[in-house]
Amino acid sequence: MQILFETERLIGGTWDPERHAEAALEIYGDPEVTRTIGGETVPDVATLVARMRKALPIYEEWGEPYAWVPLFRRPLPGTEHGVLVGAGLLKPLPDANREPTDAIEVGWHLARAHWGHGYATEAGRALIHRGFAHLDVDVLHAVVDPGNQRSCAVAERCGMRHVGQTSRWYGKTLEHFEIRRPRG
C-alpha cells in the first residue's frame, strides 16, 4: 500500500481491492451508511471488489492528488496493520449526468462502528490540506445529504462554511459547504 497522507491517528493509503474489500464492506455494505452517500448498498465482497476495480482507474486517470483513499487507524504497537475505519475522497464533483465538473469535492465515508471518534474530521482536514497543496483552486466543496447532521457537523469542524442547498451536482439537492484557500 502506498501512503498518501498521515495524520495523528490515521493513515490514508491506496486500495488493494482483494485485500481491503472485506473490511470496506462494513462501509459500503451497511444501508445506514450508504443511504446518505448515494443509497446503493453493496451486497457482498465480490461485488465490492468489482466496483473497486472499476472505480480506481478513474482516479488514476485524473492523477494526483485526486484519490479515493482508504483510512486506516494507526496500528497499535506490535501489530502490523491498522483497522480500516473509512474512506476519504478528493475528486471533481459530478454533474447530474455523472460527468466531472471543475468543482473539487472533499468527502468522507466511515464505517458505523467508527462514527463519533473524530476520524472523519481528521481525514477531512487532511484532504483539504492535500487539495490546496496540490491543486490550483481557490475553493474546495463538500456536499451532504440533507438530514445527515453528523456529516454537516464534520464539514463545519473542518472549517467549511455552509452556503445553502444546491442541485448543481449529483443530480439531487444537497447541503453545500465550501472552504476557501487560506491567504498568505
Side-chain angles (χ1 to χ4, degrees), residues 8 14 17-19 24 61 92 116 122 154-155:
E8 182 181 333
T14 53
E18 286 75 19
R19 184 174 173 200
E61 182 179 316
E122 197 168 321
V154 168

mmCIF file of all heavy atoms in Angstrom, residues 8 14 17-19 24 61 92 116 122 154-155:
data_model
loop_
_atom_site.group_PDB
_atom_site.id
_atom_site.type_symbol
_atom_site.label_atom_id
_atom_site.label_comp_id
_atom_site.label_asym_id
_atom_site.label_seq_id
_atom_site.Cartn_x
_atom_site.Cartn_y
_atom_site.Cartn_z
ATOM 1 N N GLU A 8 -2.465 12.402 12.882
ATOM 2 C CA GLU A 8 -2.120 11.912 14.213
ATOM 3 C C GLU A 8 -2.597 10.482 14.435
ATOM 4 O O GLU A 8 -1.880 9.663 14.992
ATOM 5 C CB GLU A 8 -2.733 12.831 15.273
ATOM 6 C CG GLU A 8 -2.381 12.437 16.686
ATOM 7 C CD GLU A 8 -3.016 13.351 17.713
ATOM 8 O OE1 GLU A 8 -3.282 14.532 17.403
ATOM 9 O OE2 GLU A 8 -3.248 12.869 18.833
ATOM 10 N N THR A 14 -3.620 3.641 -0.364
ATOM 11 C CA THR A 14 -4.221 3.230 -1.629
ATOM 12 C C THR A 14 -4.920 1.889 -1.419
ATOM 13 O O THR A 14 -4.497 1.067 -0.598
ATOM 14 C CB THR A 14 -3.162 3.104 -2.734
ATOM 15 O OG1 THR A 14 -2.109 2.246 -2.293
ATOM 16 C CG2 THR A 14 -2.601 4.469 -3.102
ATOM 17 N N PRO A 17 -8.036 -3.923 -3.758
ATOM 18 C CA PRO A 17 -9.392 -4.459 -3.674
ATOM 19 C C PRO A 17 -9.494 -5.844 -3.028
ATOM 20 O O PRO A 17 -10.339 -6.058 -2.164
ATOM 21 C CB PRO A 17 -9.853 -4.495 -5.134
ATOM 22 C CG PRO A 17 -9.103 -3.360 -5.763
ATOM 23 C CD PRO A 17 -7.746 -3.395 -5.082
ATOM 24 N N GLU A 18 -8.634 -6.758 -3.411
ATOM 25 C CA GLU A 18 -8.727 -8.107 -2.862
ATOM 26 C C GLU A 18 -8.422 -8.129 -1.358
ATOM 27 O O GLU A 18 -9.011 -8.882 -0.603
ATOM 28 C CB GLU A 18 -7.783 -9.067 -3.596
ATOM 29 C CG GLU A 18 -8.264 -9.458 -4.974
ATOM 30 C CD GLU A 18 -8.095 -8.353 -6.014
ATOM 31 O OE1 GLU A 18 -7.299 -7.409 -5.796
ATOM 32 O OE2 GLU A 18 -8.778 -8.431 -7.050
ATOM 33 N N ARG A 19 -7.536 -7.278 -0.939
ATOM 34 C CA ARG A 19 -7.113 -7.265 0.456
ATOM 35 C C ARG A 19 -8.059 -6.453 1.350
ATOM 36 O O ARG A 19 -8.266 -6.800 2.510
ATOM 37 C CB ARG A 19 -5.705 -6.689 0.535
ATOM 38 C CG ARG A 19 -5.105 -6.712 1.904
ATOM 39 C CD ARG A 19 -3.668 -6.265 1.827
ATOM 40 N NE ARG A 19 -3.121 -6.135 3.157
ATOM 41 C CZ ARG A 19 -2.056 -5.428 3.441
ATOM 42 N NH1 ARG A 19 -1.393 -4.807 2.486
ATOM 43 N NH2 ARG A 19 -1.615 -5.334 4.661
ATOM 44 N N ALA A 24 -13.950 -3.119 3.855
ATOM 45 C CA ALA A 24 -14.691 -1.999 3.279
ATOM 46 C C ALA A 24 -16.180 -2.295 3.167
ATOM 47 O O ALA A 24 -16.997 -1.361 3.086
ATOM 48 C CB ALA A 24 -14.115 -1.634 1.906
ATOM 49 N N GLU A 61 -6.673 7.941 -13.721
ATOM 50 C CA GLU A 61 -6.729 8.782 -14.921
ATOM 51 C C GLU A 61 -6.722 10.262 -14.546
ATOM 52 O O GLU A 61 -6.061 11.072 -15.208
ATOM 53 C CB GLU A 61 -7.990 8.451 -15.721
ATOM 54 C CG GLU A 61 -8.118 9.226 -17.013
ATOM 55 C CD GLU A 61 -9.375 8.845 -17.767
ATOM 56 O OE1 GLU A 61 -9.675 7.643 -17.868
ATOM 57 O OE2 GLU A 61 -10.052 9.769 -18.262
ATOM 58 N N PRO A 92 -13.224 15.572 -8.613
ATOM 59 C CA PRO A 92 -14.133 16.513 -9.254
ATOM 60 C C PRO A 92 -15.588 16.136 -8.930
ATOM 61 O O PRO A 92 -15.954 14.956 -9.013
ATOM 62 C CB PRO A 92 -13.852 16.347 -10.742
ATOM 63 C CG PRO A 92 -12.494 15.733 -10.814
ATOM 64 C CD PRO A 92 -12.383 14.875 -9.589
ATOM 65 N N GLY A 116 -18.310 9.046 15.455
ATOM 66 C CA GLY A 116 -18.238 9.717 16.747
ATOM 67 C C GLY A 116 -16.870 9.754 17.392
ATOM 68 O O GLY A 116 -16.747 10.151 18.550
ATOM 69 N N GLU A 122 -10.732 14.483 11.088
ATOM 70 C CA GLU A 122 -9.277 14.373 10.899
ATOM 71 C C GLU A 122 -8.945 14.113 9.432
ATOM 72 O O GLU A 122 -8.053 14.744 8.857
ATOM 73 C CB GLU A 122 -8.754 13.247 11.792
ATOM 74 C CG GLU A 122 -7.285 13.261 12.015
ATOM 75 C CD GLU A 122 -6.865 12.305 13.128
ATOM 76 O OE1 GLU A 122 -7.567 12.193 14.162
ATOM 77 O OE2 GLU A 122 -5.799 11.672 12.957
ATOM 78 N N VAL A 154 -19.259 17.558 10.590
ATOM 79 C CA VAL A 154 -17.877 17.293 10.193
ATOM 80 C C VAL A 154 -17.381 18.398 9.283
ATOM 81 O O VAL A 154 -16.282 18.928 9.470
ATOM 82 C CB VAL A 154 -17.740 15.915 9.504
ATOM 83 C CG1 VAL A 154 -16.373 15.759 8.836
ATOM 84 C CG2 VAL A 154 -17.973 14.784 10.499
ATOM 85 N N ALA A 155 -18.169 18.755 8.281
ATOM 86 C CA ALA A 155 -17.766 19.822 7.351
ATOM 87 C C ALA A 155 -17.466 21.113 8.116
ATOM 88 O O ALA A 155 -16.444 21.764 7.864
ATOM 89 C CB ALA A 155 -18.849 20.047 6.301
#
